[in-house]
Amino acid sequence: MIRSTGGVRSADPRRGGWLAALGTLWTTSESSAATIRDSMPVDLYLSAFASLDSHELAALALTLGVVLFAVVTSIMLVRMRQRAAAADAESRRDIDSLTAEVDRVNALLLSEPQIVVAWAAGSDEPDITGDVTIVTQATMPQRVLAFGSWLPADQAQLIEASVATLREQGEGFAMTLTTLGGKSVEAEGRAIGGRAVMRLRDVSGLKGELLALTLRHDRLVGDMMALRTLIDALPFPVWARDHEGRLDFVNAAYAGAVETRDPTEAVERNLELLDKSARDEAARMRQDGSPYRGRVPAVIAGARRMFDVVEVPTPAGSAAVGIDATEIETIRAEMTRMVEAHRRTLDQLATGVAIFGADHTLRFHNEAYRALWDLDVSYLDHGPTDSAILDRLRAARKLPEQQDFRIWKSQLHEAYRNLEAREELWHLPDGRTLRVVTTPNTEGGVTYLFDDVTERLDLERRYDALIRVQGETLDNLAEAVAVFASDGRLRLHNPAFQQMWKLPEEALAERPHIEAVIAWCAPLQAEDQTLRSLRTAVTSIGQRDAIKGRLERRDGSVVDLATLPLPDGATLVTFQDVTDTVNVERALRERNEALETADQIKIDFLHHVSYELRSPLTNIIGFAHFLGDPATGPLTDRQSEYLGYITVSTNALLALINDILDLATIDAGAMTLNLGPVDICKTMEGAAEGIRDRLVKDNITLEIKAEPADIGTFSADERRIRQVLFNLLSNAVGFSPKNGMVRLRAERHDDSIAFSVTDEGPGIPPEMKDRIFDWFESHPLGSQHRGAGLGLSIVRSFVQLHGGAVDIESAVGQGTTVTCTFPIRPPTQQQIAAA
C-alpha cells in the first residue's frame, strides 16, 4: 500500500511497471521467477527503483526480505524432504538387516538347548529366551529363576548370590550346576550393553563328559594345591624326587632345615637333608619298589637331631617325610628314667605295692610287697594273675580266714570294674593287721597298696590308754593345772585348780577367757605384775616365753606360778602351793646365814692365829737350828733326838701355817703368780725329793713318767706347780699301803699339760668326792694318814688360779687318780684377778 499526502495521484507508468514486476515475482514459483529474472530488462529494474522514494524503498526492502526468506525456506524444505526420504530408505534397509540378524541370532540360540535370561537396567522384569525344559518341567519361563525348585540348596544359594552380584555390580560368573534331575548345566553371567545376561546351557553328551573331565581336573588341581599348601605348612620336612633321584619338591620346613631362603632355592641347589648312607639305602629300597623306613640323624642349625624318615615310591619318583623324633627320644628316655626312678622309689617304701593289668596279670611289684607275703622273686617275675597269687597265699595260710573264699575273692576283684578306690583292713592269722587300698587304674587294671598298720593300731591303743592315764593323773595332781588355748580361753583344768582358786565348776565349763579367770581370782590375789605377765604369756601371739613367778595371796599362802608354751599355740599354767616349803626355806636360810657367819669367824680366827704363830715359830725353828749346829756345842744322843723331833714338828707346823696363809691370800684375791718357763721333768723330780724319806720309810715305789720323754716346758709359776705336785704325792704316799706304788705322770696335749698322781690306797667313797676339796676335810679311810685337810684345797686353788682344772677318779678298794690339767697358755694377771 502507498500512502499519499494530497489527493489521489495518478499512477506513474514506472510505478505501475514496478508493481507489475512485484506481482509477477509474488505469483511465480521458484522456476518461473528465475525465468522472469533472466528475461526482464535491467533498465526496467533500474528505472523502476530510481523512481521510488524513501518510503517505497523501505517497503520494497521489506517485501524483498520477506520474499527472500520464503524462497530460502522453500529451498531448505525441499532439501530436508529429500534427505528425510533418503534416511527413511536407509532406516528401512537397516531394519530389514537387523530383523534378519535377529532371526539368525534366534536361530543360533535355539540351535542348542540353552536358556538366556536378560535384565534391563533398572528393570526387575527379565527377558527369558530358550527351552526352559532344560531345567524345569514347568511351562512358565519365570520358573527358571526359582533356582531352589530345580537345584540343590547349596547350588541354588550360590547362583542366587552370583545373579544378585551380577545385577548390582556387573560382576560376571561362570559355574557348572547339577540339577535335581541329574543334568549338568553350565551357568554363565556377564554384563552386556548395560544389561545383565545369564545363560544356562545343557552340557550333556560329549560336552558333558568334557565338562566332567574339566571339573575333575579342577578338583584334582585344587586338591593338589590344598595338599601342597598343607604340606608346606607342616612343621616337619617333606620332599619329593624324580626318577633320577633329584629333588623335585620340598616344603618350607625342609628349606629351613637346610638353611635356604625358600623351597625353590633348595630344589635348584639340590640340597640334601640326610647323609649319603641313608640316601643310598632309600634309593636301593626305591629301586626294589619297597618303601623305606628308618630313624636317621640330621644336623639342623648346628644341632644333631633324629628323624623318622618314610620314603615311598611314586609314579613320578618318590615322596618322603621326616618327622623329628628327637623330642620323642628325649621324652622316651626321660620316661624310662622316671619309671625307673619311680620303681626305685617304690622299692624303698615300706608299703607293699602291686600293680595288675586289665588282664589281671602282675605288671609291677616292689620289694616291700614281696617281703610282706614272702613270695619268690622268680615266681613274681613270670607275671602271675591276681587270682593265682591269692590262691597261693590262701594255701600258705597268709590271708584272712573267710567263710566263703570264692565270694570274698570275687568281691575283691570288683575293683577292676569300680571307678573309686576302696579301703579295708585285713586281720592276718599271724596277728598282723594290714590296711589294703584297691585303686582302679585308667587302663583297666588295679593297684594294691598293703600297709602294715599293726604297730599303728597298737600305738593308737596305747595312746588312748596313755591319754586316760594322763587324765586320771592330772585330775589327781596336787598342783593346780590349767591349759589356755591360743585364743586365751580355758581349754583344760584339773580339780586342784578349781579348789585352789575357789572357782565355780559351772563357770569353768563355759571356757572363760583368761581375763575373766583373773577377775574371779581377785578375792584371793590382787592383780600384780606376775598376773599381768601371765595374761601376756597366754594371749601373746609373737613372743611366747615361759615365765615363772610367786604369788603371796591374801590368805597368807604362797603359790608358785609357771607357764609353758605348747606346740599347738596353747599355754600350760601350773600353780603349786609352796607355803610349807617357803616357811622351811626361810628357817633354813636363817640357819645357813648363822653357819656362814660362824664359818667366817672361824676362818678369820685361823688367819689371825696363823699370822700370830708364825713369828714365834720361826724363832723356835731358828734356835733349834742353832742348837743342832756343832759350832754351838756338842749334844748328847738323847738331846739330838729331841732336837730332831722339835725340828720335824716345827717344820710341819710351819707348812700348815703357810698353807693356811696361801688359802687366805687366794680367798682375798691377793695371790699373784710368778709366771715363767717351767721344766716339767725337773719340776716333777723336785717335788719327788720332798717325800723321798717317807718312800724309804714305807718301802713305797715312786714311778715318774713323762709322755713324750722330751715333754719340754710350759709357762706357769714353777714354785706353785712344785707345791701342787708335792701335796698330791704327799697325799698319795699317806694313803698308800706299805710296799705299794705311786705313779706320777705328765702328758702334753695340743693346748694343755696334764699331771696325774695315782696311788693304790683304799679309794674315796662317792659321797665324799664333793667334800674332798673343802678346808680341813681329812678322812683316814682306814689308813695311817693323818693331816689337816688342806692339801687338796691348796691343789685346787693353785690349779684354778692357773686357769686349769682338777679331776678325781676313784673307786673304793681300787685306789685314786688325781689329774691336774694346766693350759699351755696361762691366764693373764687381769684374768687371774678376775677369777
Side-chain angles (χ1 to χ4, degrees), residues 234-392:
L234 291 176
F236 40 81
V238 178
W239 65 95
R241 300 182 186 275
D242 56 17
H243 289 291
E244 297 179 357
R246 292 183 57 83
L247 292 176
D248 183 52
F249 167 78
V250 298
N251 66 345
Y254 186 99
V258 297
E259 300 180 3
T260 59
R261 294 189 303 273
D262 51 40
T264 303
E265 181 181 355
V267 173
E268 291 175 353
R269 295 172 58 186
N270 198 40
L271 297 176
E272 296 290 349
L273 176 65
L274 307 180
D275 56 14
K276 190 174 183 305
S277 60
R279 297 199 306 273
D280 293 343
E281 179 66 19
R284 186 183 64 79
M285 299 292 291
R286 188 168 59 249
Q287 292 176 358
D288 295 341
S290 302
Y292 168 76
R293 292 181 175 86
R295 178 163 292 177
V296 297
V299 178
I300 297 178
R304 186 176 184 273
R305 305 186 70 83
M306 300 298 295
F307 284 87
D308 284 335
V309 178
V310 178
E311 185 169 349
V312 296
T314 63
S318 64
V321 60
I323 300 176
D324 193 346
T326 307
E327 294 183 0
I328 297 176
E329 284 294 319
T330 303
I331 293 174
R332 180 179 289 112
E334 186 65 26
M335 285 294 295
T336 302
R337 288 193 296 270
M338 187 178 299
V339 169
E340 291 299 324
H342 287 174
R343 287 179 178 269
R344 290 192 298 269
T345 301
L346 292 177
D347 279 337
Q348 301 301 319
L349 293 179
T351 301
V353 180
I355 301 176
F356 292 86
D359 56 354
H360 291 209
T361 57
L362 182 64
R363 300 292 178 82
F364 170 78
H365 69 280
N366 64 348
E367 178 60 24
Y369 175 80
R370 187 207 64 77
L372 177 66
W373 300 114
D374 194 19
L375 296 173
D376 295 334
V377 176
S378 59
Y379 171 73
L380 296 176
D381 290 342
H382 283 83
T385 63
D386 190 358
S387 180
I389 294 177
L390 291 176
D391 291 339
R392 186 181 183 119

Side-chain angles (χ1 to χ4, degrees), residues 373-416:
W373 300 114
D374 194 19
L375 296 173
D376 295 334
V377 176
S378 59
Y379 171 73
L380 296 176
D381 290 342
H382 283 83
T385 63
D386 190 358
S387 180
I389 294 177
L390 291 176
D391 291 339
R392 186 181 183 119
L393 294 177
R394 178 172 179 259
R397 291 185 56 80
K398 295 182 179 180
L399 291 178
E401 296 293 340
Q402 302 294 332
Q403 185 175 1
D404 193 327
F405 180 74
R406 287 185 299 175
I407 296 178
W408 178 80
K409 184 167 65 174
S410 63
Q411 292 175 351
L412 181 65
H413 286 170
E414 288 179 359
Y416 289 91

